[in-house]
Amino acid sequence: MGGSAPRVVALAGGVGGAKLAYGLAKTLPGPSLTVVGNTGDDETFFGLHVSPDLDTLMYTLAGVADPERGWGLAGESFQALEMLLSYQEPAWFSLGDRDLATHILRTKLLREGMSLTEVTRQLSQRLGVECLLVPMSDDPVRTIVETDEGALPFQSYFVERQCRPVVSGVCFEGAEKAQMSKEFTEALGKSDALVFCPSNPIVSIGPILAVPGTEKAIRSFQGPRIAVSPIIGDRALRGPAAKMLAELGEEVSCVGVARRLEGLCDILLIHKTDAPLAAAVKDAGMEPMALNTIMDTDGDKRRLAREICDLIKDRLQ
Amino acid sequence: MGGSAPRVVALAGGVGGAKLAYGLAKTLPGPSLTVVGNTGDDETFFGLHVSPDLDTLMYTLAGVADPERGWGLAGESFQALEMLLSYQEPAWFSLGDRDLATHILRTKLLREGMSLTEVTRQLSQRLGVECLLVPMSDDPVRTIVETDEGALPFQSYFVERQCRPVVSGVCFEGAEKAQMSKEFTEALGKSDALVFCPSNPIVSIGPILAVPGTEKAIRSFQGPRIAVSPIIGDRALRGPAAKMLAELGEEVSCVGVARRLEGLCDILLIHKTDAPLAAAVKDAGMEPMALNTIMDTDGDKRRLAREICDLIKDRLQ
């Protein structure tokens, strides 16, 4: 990428989103990139504030994530969790020993009165993250999945019940009272382009959009808005996106993703094997571009990020 | 030991005291024994309430303590601590991964409004401890060591500064406002005998005695009061007791220990090599008994506890 770098704001959930965020961070200079993380699946475990998506993003951006799992830290162990089991405590959520340091420190700083934005900035900077990583909001927003087994907080649905319950709806508790983080608002105001990372449109991008003011700011965003479809064919590369879309009666394809982002996004990057769906994506009001969107290796992540940055520069001219 | 078991209340600090507490727990039926732990060196690390002496007692009584160190848990690792170092946090206090589970759970329960007594009862019972382990008080008492480097909270003196500063005094912050735990008061009221475990007389037994009402209750205690000297010759088997006694201008021997317990104790068990000091112990107002007080093995701990229980039964007749 020649010339000056565009300023980009990227919206992301966990593992899938973190891959592209990593690519963007390797492509753009630190100050040009703001990554906005979903906090709808934040949860309190044993009094500790856990922010799964922010952590996945932070660890990935810092290069300390577990390369196999895509979440958590490399070289992780689970001794504290084992001891919690000795205390006969429920231990379905994988709290790693190294990971615990993050939750302990975050909880301490929050209790001391620091905002989640400031905590996230401090922790990510201390781990060497150069771009700005911010939560969508400093206020609590809680993704609740309505299922045939009742209403479940996201982590209970996702981790404890392993996405088995049938989903009939999703709501975001507290969203109506939440405010966008100042840094999110500012990033939307000053960035040249907006990127939707390939995250679950319902429970990763959904909570971000549920924060009042976000949709409006994105609708009036000046500059190219580009999404990468997390659905390829009729499957999500990971997570329950495909299963959730199907259970909610939506189309399980990049076209379903396009419909969810109608009015919020200009260009949808779809995987090359989905090229036959380009016309349907266009009908949903979005410009389709078919290319290789699979990010297995760090090289893949950088390649896709470079293609996106080139596209942005092209559209900005 | 034949016949019915005496009811015993034992006062203890950390490692040395825990050895005898373990022996007593193996000798007496659970309901007959109350172990009262020092909480003067409790400390808050990263927002977590750490009770080093209660933990050493609990782990030892539950048979899960590290056999080499005498404190902490067997099979411990320090991954969370390493990660805290990655966050550039001070990490001089050895928070083990398994140990963290205890601190996290205790802190959670305390924040939910449970008393330290109730938390300690719950955690120790869940680990299989059969006797009653109670803190001296539910109120915060903080041992402050006055030194040539200034006033240091006990853990800073003991762990961070490794007992190097020269001690000029010790005070117990908050003690004047603290109340004895109800269970401590009750145990003193209903027990047949009182045992001072071989713990540091200044910073382990000292804080217990500093809680208002404790000295008075012990002075009027009905039944044999027996202490085991933590000083053998002019040395403590572990910890800074000898160094502290010397720096405070007190005699570094079992006689110094006897003087500290004047009026509070009837019989002082001294190590057999200290038999020549028996007369001086007697002059300090205490009946000396010389025997093997060294507890290297679990067998040693049981043997000494059995001898103490036999002595109690003998005196109760």
Side-chain angles (χ1 to χ4, degrees):
Chain A
M1 204 178 70
S4 74
R7 286 158 300 181
V8 172
V9 53
L11 314 186
V15 180
K19 289 184 176 191
L20 184 58
Y22 174 88
L24 290 169
K26 290 290 174 189
T27 307
L28 295 164
S32 300
L33 175 64
T34 302
V35 177
V36 179
N38 164 43
T39 56
D41 36 332
D42 284 21
E43 191 54 90
T44 302
F45 291 106
F46 305 104
L48 301 176
H49 184 110
V50 179
S51 294
D53 282 357
L54 289 178
D55 287 345
T56 297
L57 289 164
M58 178 170 74
Y59 297 157
T60 303
L61 291 167
V64 295
D66 185 286
E68 297 302 314
R69 293 191 309 244
W71 54 267
L73 286 156
E76 190 55 286
S77 57
F78 296 88
Q79 291 245 71
L81 199 70
E82 226 176 67
M83 189 67 193
L84 285 168
L85 275 171
S86 299
Y87 282 119
Q88 297 139 51
E89 289 290 325
W92 51 265
F93 191 82
S94 287
L95 290 166
D97 297 322
R98 298 176 66 81
D99 200 28
L100 268 177
T102 304
H103 312 321
I104 288 169
L105 210 46
R106 174 189 292 120
T107 304
K108 171 181 177 273
L109 295 172
L110 288 172
R111 282 193 196 279
E112 288 172 1
M114 206 179 268
S115 69
L116 184 58
T117 296
E118 185 52 28
V119 172
T120 306
R121 188 208 312 267
Q122 286 218 4
L123 297 189
S124 60
Q125 281 181 352
R126 292 196 216 171
L127 291 186
V129 175
E130 288 174 3
C131 68
L132 186 62
L133 172 63
V134 299
M136 64 194 203
S137 175
D138 285 326
D139 304 313
V141 175
R142 199 162 199 232
T143 299
I144 305 289
V145 186
E146 289 147 5
T147 77
D148 57 342
E149 299 183 13
L152 300 171
F154 182 73
Q155 296 303 335
S156 302
Y157 164 77
F158 185 61
V159 180
E160 189 178 16
R161 304 289 302 120
Q162 297 191 21
C163 309
R164 279 189 293 259
V166 178
V167 176
S168 54
V170 172
C171 68
F172 307 107
E173 228 175 64
E176 68 288 353
K177 285 187 199 153
Q179 292 199 326
M180 294 169 71
S181 66
K182 185 168 136 281
E183 286 69 9
F184 182 13
T185 305
E186 283 177 2
L188 281 175
K190 74 178 185 202
S191 294
D192 302 308
L194 168 66
V195 172
F196 292 86
C197 292
S199 296
N200 187 316
I202 303 164
V203 291
S204 294
I205 301 300
I208 300 177
L209 297 177
V211 178
T214 306
E215 279 215 24
K216 191 174 169 221
I218 292 178
R219 280 183 200 281
S220 61
F221 183 81
Q222 299 295 316
R225 301 169 303 177
I226 303 170
V228 178
S229 173
I231 305 280
I232 296 178
D234 61 356
R235 296 181 54 197
L237 283 181
R238 42 185 317 148
K243 180 174 182 285
M244 293 183 107
L245 281 171
E247 289 168 0
L248 292 173
E250 301 182 36
E251 184 171 328
V252 186
S253 75
C254 57
V255 181
V257 174
R259 288 189 188 130
R260 282 222 152 226
L261 293 176
E262 206 188 323
L264 301 168
C265 180
D266 308 304
I267 305 169
L268 182 65
L269 305 189
I270 61 178
H271 191 57
K272 53 192 176 184
T273 52
D274 281 338
L277 294 172
V281 168
K282 203 159 191 174
D283 286 347
M286 225 157 281
E287 179 185 345
M289 285 191 67
L291 70 176
N292 180 6
T293 63
I294 292 178
M295 295 176 283
D296 282 336
T297 67
D298 283 356
D300 294 337
K301 297 168 199 168
R302 274 196 287 263
R303 176 193 37 73
L304 184 59
R306 244 185 342 254
E307 287 170 340
I308 289 170
C309 289
D310 286 344
L311 177 61
I312 290 169
K313 293 192 76 181
D314 189 55
R315 295 299 162 108
L316 287 174
Q317 272 172 354
Chain B
M1 203 176 71
S4 73
R7 287 159 299 181
V8 172
V9 54
L11 314 187
V15 179
K19 289 184 175 191
L20 184 57
Y22 174 89
L24 291 168
K26 291 290 173 190
T27 306
L28 295 164
S32 300
L33 176 63
T34 302
V35 178
V36 180
N38 164 42
T39 56
D41 37 333
D42 284 20
E43 191 54 88
T44 303
F45 291 106
F46 304 105
L48 301 176
H49 184 111
V50 179
S51 293
D53 282 357
L54 290 178
D55 287 345
T56 296
L57 289 164
M58 178 170 75
Y59 297 156
T60 302
L61 291 167
V64 295
D66 185 285
E68 297 303 314
R69 292 191 308 243
W71 55 269
L73 287 155
E76 190 56 284
S77 57
F78 295 88
Q79 291 244 74
L81 199 70
E82 225 176 67
M83 189 67 192
L84 285 169
L85 275 171
S86 298
Y87 283 119
Q88 295 138 52
E89 288 290 326
W92 51 265
F93 191 81
S94 286
L95 291 165
D97 297 323
R98 299 176 67 82
D99 200 27
L100 268 178
T102 304
H103 312 321
I104 288 170
L105 209 46
R106 174 188 293 121
T107 304
K108 171 182 176 273
L109 295 172
L110 288 172
R111 281 192 195 279
E112 288 171 2
M114 206 179 266
S115 69
L116 184 60
T117 296
E118 185 54 26
V119 172
T120 306
R121 189 208 311 269
Q122 286 219 5
L123 297 189
S124 61
Q125 281 180 351
R126 293 197 214 169
L127 291 186
V129 174
E130 288 174 4
C131 68
L132 186 62
L133 172 63
V134 300
M136 64 194 202
S137 174
D138 285 326
D139 304 313
V141 175
R142 199 165 200 231
T143 299
I144 304 288
V145 186
E146 289 147 6
T147 78
D148 57 341
E149 299 183 13
L152 300 171
F154 182 72
Q155 296 303 334
S156 300
Y157 164 76
F158 185 61
V159 181
E160 190 179 16
R161 304 289 303 121
Q162 298 190 24
C163 309
R164 278 188 295 258
V166 178
V167 176
S168 54
V170 172
C171 69
F172 307 106
E173 227 175 63
E176 68 288 354
K177 286 185 198 155
Q179 291 199 328
M180 293 170 72
S181 67
K182 186 168 135 280
E183 286 68 10
F184 182 14
T185 306
E186 282 177 5
L188 281 175
K190 75 180 183 202
S191 293
D192 301 309
L194 169 66
V195 173
F196 292 85
C197 292
S199 296
N200 187 316
I202 303 163
V203 290
S204 294
I205 301 301
I208 301 176
L209 298 177
V211 178
T214 305
E215 279 215 24
K216 192 175 168 218
I218 292 177
R219 280 182 200 282
S220 61
F221 183 82
Q222 299 295 315
R225 301 169 301 177
I226 304 169
V228 178
S229 173
I231 304 278
I232 297 179
D234 61 356
R235 296 182 53 197
L237 284 181
R238 41 185 317 149
K243 180 173 182 285
M244 292 182 109
L245 282 171
E247 289 167 0
L248 291 173
E250 300 182 36
E251 183 171 332
V252 186
S253 75
C254 58
V255 181
V257 174
R259 289 190 187 130
R260 282 223 151 224
L261 293 176
E262 206 187 325
L264 301 169
C265 180
D266 308 304
I267 305 170
L268 183 64
L269 305 190
I270 61 178
H271 190 57
K272 54 192 177 185
T273 52
D274 281 338
L277 295 171
V281 169
K282 202 158 193 178
D283 286 346
M286 226 156 283
E287 179 185 345
M289 286 192 65
L291 69 177
N292 180 4
T293 62
I294 292 178
M295 295 176 282
D296 282 335
T297 68
D298 283 356
D300 293 337
K301 298 167 198 167
R302 275 195 289 262
R303 176 194 37 74
L304 184 58
R306 245 187 340 259
E307 288 170 339
I308 290 170
C309 289
D310 286 344
L311 177 62
I312 290 168
K313 292 191 77 180
D314 189 57
R315 295 301 163 106
L316 287 174
Q317 272 170 356

